Amino acid sequence: GDNRYFCENCQSKQNATRKIRLLSLPCTLNLQLMRFVFDRQTGHKKKLNTYIGFSEILDMEPYVEHKGGSYVYELSAVLIHRGVSAYSGHYIAHVKDPQSGEWYKFNDEDIEKMEGKKLQLGIEEDLAEPSKSQTRKPKCGKGTHCSRNAYMLVYRLQTQEKPNTTVQVPAFLQELVDRDNSKFEEWCIEMAEMRKQSVDKGKAKHEEVKELYQRLPAGAEPYEFVSLEWLQKWLDESTPTKPIDNHACLCSHDKLHPDKISIMKRISEYAADIFYSRYGGGPRLTVKALCKECVVERCRVLRLKSQLNEDYKTVNNLLKATVKGNDGFWVGKSSLRSWRQLALEHNGKMNGNTLSKGELCISENERRLVSKEAWSKLQQYFPKLPCILEREGEENEALHKMIANEQKTSLPNLFQDKNRPCLSNWPEETDVLYIVSQFFVEEWRKFVRKPTRCSPVSSVGNSALLCPHGGLMFTFASMTKEDSKLIALIWPSEWQMIQKLFVVDHVIKIIRTEVGDVNPSETQYISEPKLCPECREGLLCQQQRDLREYTQATIYVHKVVDNKKVMKDSAPELNVSSSETEEDKEEAKPDGEKDPDFNQSNGGTKRQKITHQNYIAYQKQVIRRSMRHRKVRGEKALLVSANQTLKELKIQIMHAFSVAPFDQNLSIDGKILSDDCATLGTLGVIPESVILLKADEPIADYAAMDDVMQGKETCLRNVLLNVLELANI
């Protein structure tokens, strides 16, 4: 037809026959089955999952032109591709040992010997087909096999004599094997020693529990109180026992709080002596540890509640009667509705009987006239007041609203957080910027938004930003970065208004100056008061010391369980910890100033809201960044110490994740942790750190690897090397 061959002799298209002639055959035949074909409809390769039958003995004599030779071959290897796609999957080889006739299964580094000297394809024929229709496997006769995953068959020429070949292992490979065997033997010894230590500890703990369990109950003998939670952890042999900590059960007088009796356990003094001698801790709570003052106060409050319930019914009955004339007392309606709660709040404390005095409300809708009998009952709980008035009377509310409106009108941009100056992008219209505490700004905004619910702010309180010597605790660079959320920048015009509206204890400002005669001149930034280098350095050293000398701190270990999460050194964009903030992920910009204490960088970061705890922390000079961490799925918390070695941490991880230490690949912030003798402090593991754990585990779900293209070539190359090595080619 139209697809004929062009003959150069005839110079025209002619009918032709095309064929392959087998003149001779080698000792080994590699038969490539056409599993992977090109689909013209989709334009992609696809895999044919059709069952193909093949025999263990193959006679090639009918297909060879020159007869007379021996062309009987026996099956020596079958290469399997598991997976439905032509672009991904897993490769497995079944290879026959020519000397023993036994079959071996090669699955990456796992080698399995088959039983009975027979080829067993087994689960390699399982195929996760997307469709519900399953192709039924055809029946195979004796000496034949059927497969829909085999893509290459290797046959070896059959001979009468068994080949007696000696394979010489290369020197470098033998060295690797010897080194690996040595490490494995060391690991076996180490694991045996660890197992022995664990068994010994378990036996010792069991004997200790057996010894003390009968002596724990306190009879007529002296007794002590111990935390019930600690006793439960002591009975749990899976975790190491910590020192006894009874501080959570103490009252303000450093004695046993009566409300905490329910979470304490009374044990014998004999058992308590053994516990404190072996585990330490404290404080010891003897029979005299119960706080008498708190018990008396608790009884007083209980009697007060009982009396209040009776008086509440009496007052309600008296209020139902109508007061005639002016023979009565005015009481605020809101306070009258909640007088029982007010009495409990102010009389239920040891320093009670105090209420803020106020003036009589102008509006009659806000007050009510009560009888002498009712007032007599109420005055028993509020003896210092002529009458019970609203906590915030109408006049006070009006005054607070007026103050809030005036301050909001005077400082509109500060209230709305608009047009704020920035240190990293210094405004050209001024050379001076003032600084106040962000805590002051937040409290002031609360009052302006809800003047009837919040108290007015009277003072700025800049002393929290200064050290005991009166020096500034922040550098210019830190105020543009991590410390920016603790300060608020104020325009000069706003500062004049703040001085009129509030009491300012300390003035803090930053001044921009031009230095040198060179054009353009160099810009410097000076703070008033100046930075206190000693306190600043001491603060930073203390922060670093706290991070390196911690005990019983919490860290988090996150196990990498899928292919999308890999180690940070290979794909750092996929390994951002949940505890990292956006500020942590930003790279530090180069400093632009010569003064090491005053540099401009990264001033555009949005300021975060400061909490009261941060404010108190700065007053105590414990200034550090927030270390809050939100646990995610697949993550576990462990208690560690800075002087603990990496090897000890791996043992903890082994108990938590059931992953042997030699199978653990640990990393933190992209750095691999490999030195088992190094301490966690020297490795940079600090409290609240997140350590990534990648376990060397055999892959069971091959269908999950369909999108992983890189491993296909490596796996195929390993299979071919195994085949060629055993085939002795």
Side-chain angles (χ1 to χ4, degrees), residues 59 103 130 178 214 238 241 269 275 319 339 354 402 423 539 567 717-718:
D59 187 4
W103 282 89
D178 294 340
Q214 301 298 331
S238 61
T241 306
E269 189 178 42
F275 282 149
L319 291 177
W339 75 268
T354 57
M402 181 183 67
L423 291 180
L539 174 64
M567 304 297 283
R717 183 166 59 252
N718 293 338

Side-chain angles (χ1 to χ4, degrees), residues 157-170:
L157 188 63
Q158 195 176 51
T159 58
Q160 298 296 331
E161 297 180 358
K162 295 291 182 180
N164 187 13
T165 58
T166 302
V167 179
Q168 183 67 30
V169 180

Side-chain angles (χ1 to χ4, degrees), residues 551-571:
T551 56
Q552 295 298 308
T554 302
I555 66 170
Y556 300 90
V557 178
H558 184 84
K559 185 177 181 182
V560 180
V561 294
D562 53 35
N563 292 326
K564 294 183 180 180
K565 294 180 180 179
V566 294
M567 304 297 283
K568 277 194 173 184
D569 53 348
S570 58

Side-chain angles (χ1 to χ4, degrees), residues 36 62 73 77 100 306 339 345 350 352 379 386 388 420 430 449 458 483 487 519 526 566 584 590 635 637 671:
F36 308 103
Y73 291 83
S100 63
S306 178
W339 75 268
E345 290 178 1
M350 297 194 64
Q379 201 173 26
I388 303 176
R420 305 314 306 153
T430 182
R449 291 190 186 99
S458 59
D483 294 329
I487 64 170
N519 192 15
I526 303 174
V566 294
D584 295 330
E635 193 171 87
K671 182 178 69 173

Side-chain angles (χ1 to χ4, degrees), residues 82-150:
R82 289 199 63 199
V84 296
S85 172
Y87 293 97
S88 62
H90 188 67
Y91 294 89
I92 300 174
H94 296 77
V95 184
K96 183 179 181 181
D97 187 349
Q99 296 183 4
S100 63
E102 296 175 332
W103 282 89
Y104 291 86
K105 174 184 173 182
F106 292 83
N107 185 1
D108 288 342
E109 70 274 9
D110 296 330
I111 302 175
E112 177 184 353
K113 181 179 178 181
M114 297 184 182
E115 297 180 359
K117 296 186 178 182
K118 293 183 179 180
L119 174 62
Q120 301 173 10
L121 298 180
I123 62 172
E124 280 70 37
E125 289 305 307
D126 295 339
L127 188 65
E129 294 185 85
S131 61
K132 295 183 179 180
S133 61
Q134 295 286 340
T135 305
R136 180 175 297 179
K137 183 177 180 179
K139 295 182 179 180
C140 300
K142 185 177 181 181
T144 60
H145 301 275
C146 292
S147 173
R148 57 180 173 183
N149 282 333

